[in-house]
Amino acid sequence: MASRRELIRAIDLVLSGKWDDAHKLVQKHTDDKRANHIHAILHRQEGDKANAMYWYERAGFDQWPNTDPDGQRLRLRDELDHQS
């Protein structure tokens, strides 16, 4: 399970353009739905729709999210910021 701190770091890496570093971090936590969600967003941004959908499903989504990747990242970041 990924720690809150690791997930925030992964999102911050994505936001700073360090996709490879973010990818390596979330790949370590394939048992964590939020890490899988970040993983899906990364593949979606790369244009790899099939791989993104695989990770969305691992994150608990049963369909393609309507929210754009930036909106998803910001929502996840906000949730993590307000988690105790």
Side-chain angles (χ1 to χ4, degrees):
M1 188 76 116
S3 71
R4 178 180 161 272
R5 194 174 126 230
E6 287 175 304
L7 294 168
I8 289 172
R9 174 146 171 72
I11 293 169
D12 288 347
L13 287 166
V14 173
L15 292 172
S16 65
K18 296 178 179 174
W19 290 12
D20 287 335
D21 293 335
H23 193 252
K24 288 175 188 170
L25 181 58
V26 296
Q27 266 186 318
K28 296 177 187 177
H29 301 289
T30 59
D31 61 334
D32 186 286
K33 287 188 176 194
R34 292 178 299 183
N36 291 338
H37 189 180
I38 296 166
H39 201 160
I41 293 166
L42 286 164
H43 284 291
R44 182 174 178 176
Q45 287 185 287
E46 293 171 343
D48 188 349
K49 188 173 181 175
N51 205 357
M53 194 60 221
Y54 169 80
W55 289 105
Y56 277 127
E57 288 171 359
R58 297 271 321 244
F61 290 80
D62 58 356
Q63 61 185 1
W64 190 259
N66 291 329
T67 310
D68 64 79
D70 289 333
Q72 291 175 56
R73 272 193 315 273
L74 292 172
R75 191 189 82 238
L76 270 170
R77 182 69 162 83
D78 188 55
E79 288 173 10
L80 291 164
D81 282 341
H82 292 97
Q83 185 181 33
S84 48

